[in-house]
């Protein structure tokens, strides 16, 4: 059944093996399989479970048929959701034993065998580093300062994280104004509902800044599961430290490239790769002849660090650093050099020689923030402007990139226009939006060297788009391979819209299976707001009256009356008042469970139509979610 806390199963042992996020994903797959023929029996599972990629890729259909038959002889037995989960777990375990390890090939989620929790360990060095970071950046926070500084030798970090406030505040340190702090519940003692709201706000906001939180649920944070809490904190801090590693924030990075082609390549690189390129750029000026390709084994001897710091801060050079033979002693001298430059220590000498990738990455990123050693040339500035002039494309790219990454695909994308060109990411996304629609037997998995293989993937992407009734006139797979921005954005716009409507269909918004159109969503929103006593009304998703935010606030309040604190709302007359309302709207929507990637400007300027639809559509989802407590409508 579904409760206001999520999906519940009667077997507590079974319940404990999945997070709520995993249960929702599996529930969606189960419901899709059952809808196809009206029922689902044991005899159907071997074929239909091929869609679950972990099982489908590691076991042949014959192996699945044989294994399931050994477990359940009656092939006509009806399958409910709990039996579906049990069969899935057993197949997963069988697949793992066949591959000779604890994780089936490409396993990105779903299985959480009870015993695996014993294998989750955390790095004490990383915990100590992140605690130091939190103590430094949140020491003056009005709410948290009574709890700080935290002691890195204890589990205080995981205890204070249980109410969600610290994680929300840390997100705002990483990407300022992501969360309107008026939306955070900050009472000294929070009830379970308020604590759950904070963690929901945290997770949806984390997704909105680029964190991967597919396998983390609110209950995991409430219970303070150490490896999950630390993993989330690690991602948030990484985003903060790498924030300036792009050409918009640091145009001086143009010094790393020679021409516009190199610059386009640089713009498509993830921040970690840009950081490595920056490091090697400076190392070329020294006697160091190796190329640093990672933040682990390549920096263990600390020689690369010694040369890098000598270039960036020659005034603190210590001849002993390169003269000593012991890597540990050299690492200590490197850290002394960095300390004189004003770099906070994110790691110890032991972390360097042991090759801790996360802490070494944090260390180099912090050095870049303090002193990057780059200069800007006038001719390069004009070159940069020519490639960064399309603000709207950039804003839409951000929305689609964050949305795709939030789905939990195996491939994390850093640039939509570059990373979808082989078709694989789009196929994965289509499979998440409409499970089972992709023919994986003819899909080509990266790395793809042959161009025609990319075209094959993208041809299937276009074919599926037409199945889903997308408007794809004169669009061919090769257009995606060539990276035509307008065509890629048009496809993704329709795919995201399809996802919204699919969510609504899954909640049985129409009892007779009628296709949902924009007019249905608008009518519901207007009716809901009017039922709360307001006279507000909108005529389309582009209605300019949306810019003051009042309609959204009234809609969210109508769905959940306690959600909006009207004492904090402005009249939305001036631009500043509109912006204050917009930031509050986004945080309240995320707090109630809405996974959206809007910027406040998208509301005040009424620009991003598909995201505004998402915001209103979410209110429908949330209302039916509450209703499902009583009517057993499954998500």
């Amino acid at each position: 059944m579904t409760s206001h806390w999520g999906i519940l199963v009667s077997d507590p042992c079974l319940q404990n093996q999945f997070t709520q996020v995993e249960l929702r994903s599996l529930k969606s797959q189960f419901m899709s399989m059952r809808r196809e023929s009206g029922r689902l029996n044991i005899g159907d599972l071997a074929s239909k479970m091929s869609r679950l990629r972990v099982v489908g890729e590691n076991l042949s259909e014959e192996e699945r048929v044989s294994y399931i038959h050994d477990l359940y002889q009656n092939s006509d037995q009806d399958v409910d959701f709990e039996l579906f989960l049990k069969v899935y777990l057993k197949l997963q375990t069988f697949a793992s034993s066949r591959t000779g390890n604890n994780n089936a090939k490409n396993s990105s989620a779903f299985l959480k065998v009870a015993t695996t929790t014993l294998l989750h360990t955390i790095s004490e060095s990383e915990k100590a580093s992140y605690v130091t970071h939190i103590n430094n950046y949140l020491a003056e926070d009005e709410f948290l300062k009574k709890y700080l500084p935290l002691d890195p030798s204890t589990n205080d970090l995981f205890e204070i994280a249980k109410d969600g406030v610290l994680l929300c505040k840390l997100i705002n340190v990483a990407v300022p104004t992501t969360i309107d702090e008026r939306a955070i519940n900050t009472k000294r003692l929070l009830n379970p509902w308020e604590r759950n709201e904070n963690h929901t706000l945290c997770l949806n906001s984390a997704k909105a800044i680029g964190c991967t939180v597919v396998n983390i649920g609110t209950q995991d944070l409430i219970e303070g599961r150490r490896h999950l809490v630390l993993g989330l904190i690690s991602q948030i801090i990484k985003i903060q430290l790498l924030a300036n590693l792009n050409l918009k924030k640091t145009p001086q990075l143009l010094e790393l490239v020679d021409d516009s082609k190199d610059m386009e390549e640089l713009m498509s690189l993830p921040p970690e790769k840009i950081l490595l390129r920056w490091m090697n750029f400076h190392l070329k000026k020294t006697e160091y002849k190796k190329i640093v390709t990672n933040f682990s084994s390549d920096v263990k001897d600390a020689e690369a660090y010694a040369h890098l710091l000598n270039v960036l801060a020659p005034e603190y050079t210590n001849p002993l650093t390169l003269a000593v033979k012991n890597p540990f002693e050299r690492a200590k001298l490197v850290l002394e050099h960095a300390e004189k430059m004003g770099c906070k220590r994110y790691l110890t000498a032991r972390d360097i020689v042991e090759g801790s990738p996360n802490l070494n990455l944090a260390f180099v990123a912090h050095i870049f923030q303090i002193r990057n050693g780059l200069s800007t040339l006038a001719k390069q500035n004009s070159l940069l402007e020519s490639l960064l002039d399309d603000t709207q494309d950039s804003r839409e790219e951000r929305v689609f990139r964050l949305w795709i990454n939030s789905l939990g695909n195996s491939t994390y994308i850093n640039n939509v226009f570059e990373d979808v060109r082989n078709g694989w990411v789009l196929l994965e996304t289509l499979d998440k939006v409409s499970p089972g629609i992709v023919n994986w037997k003819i899909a080509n998995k990266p790395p793809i060297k042959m161009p025609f293989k990319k075209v094959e993937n993208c041809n299937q992407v276009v074919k599926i788009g037409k199945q889903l009734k997308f408007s794809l006139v004169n669009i061919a797979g090769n257009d995606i391979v060539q990276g035509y921005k307008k065509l890629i954005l048009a496809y993704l716009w329709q795919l995201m819209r399809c996802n919204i409507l699919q969510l609504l269909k899954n909640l049985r918004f129409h009892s007779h299976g009628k296709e949902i159109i924009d007019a249905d969503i608008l009518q519901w929103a207007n009716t809901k707001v009017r039922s709360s006593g307001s006279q507000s009304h909108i005529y389309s998703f582009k209605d300019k009256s949306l810019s003051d935010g009042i309609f959204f606030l009234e809609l969210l309040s109508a769905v959940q009356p306690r959600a909006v604190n009207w004492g904090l709302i402005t009249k939305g007359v001036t631009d500043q008042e509109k912006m204050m309302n917009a930031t509050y709207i986004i945080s309240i929507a995320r707090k109630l469970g809405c996974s959206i990637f809007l910027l406040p400007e998208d509301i005040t300027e009424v620009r991003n139509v598909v995201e505004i639809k998402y915001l209103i559509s979410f209110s429908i989802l949330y209302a039916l979610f509450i209703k499902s407590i009583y009517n057993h409508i499954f998500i």
Side-chain angles (χ1 to χ4, degrees), residues 485-548:
K485 291 184 179 182
K486 296 299 181 184
L487 297 181
I488 291 171
L489 289 175
Y491 190 97
L492 289 172
W493 188 95
Q494 294 177 86
L495 183 54
M496 191 174 186
R497 181 179 184 277
C498 178
N499 181 228
I500 297 169
L501 300 183
Q502 193 63 46
L503 288 171
L504 292 171
K505 286 179 182 178
N506 288 344
L507 281 174
R508 302 177 187 175
F509 181 67
H510 280 266
S511 58
H512 302 295
K514 173 189 171 186
E515 183 178 353
I516 298 169
I517 60 176
D518 293 354
D520 296 316
I521 301 174
L522 283 170
Q523 181 182 0
W524 181 89
N526 283 321
T527 302
K528 193 71 180 174
V529 168
R530 190 165 55 250
S531 69
S532 68
S534 171
Q535 299 303 310
S536 297
H537 186 92
I538 60 171
Y539 297 94
S540 76
F541 291 109
K542 296 182 180 180
D543 196 314
K544 292 298 182 183
S545 67
L546 289 168
S547 66
D548 64 13

Side-chain angles (χ1 to χ4, degrees), residues 321-348:
T321 306
L322 289 170
V324 296
K325 302 299 182 183
N326 187 317
F328 183 75
E329 293 301 320
R330 185 183 302 116
K332 290 199 292 186
L333 292 171
V334 162
L335 292 178
E336 288 178 9
H337 193 155
E339 191 83 21
K340 292 175 182 177
M341 290 170 57
C343 295
K344 299 184 180 70
R345 290 192 178 186
Y346 279 93
L347 75 179
T348 64

Side-chain angles (χ1 to χ4, degrees), residues 584-595:
Y584 188 65
I585 288 164
I586 292 171
S587 290
I588 291 299
R590 288 175 179 155
K591 182 177 177 179
L592 295 182
C594 184
S595 181

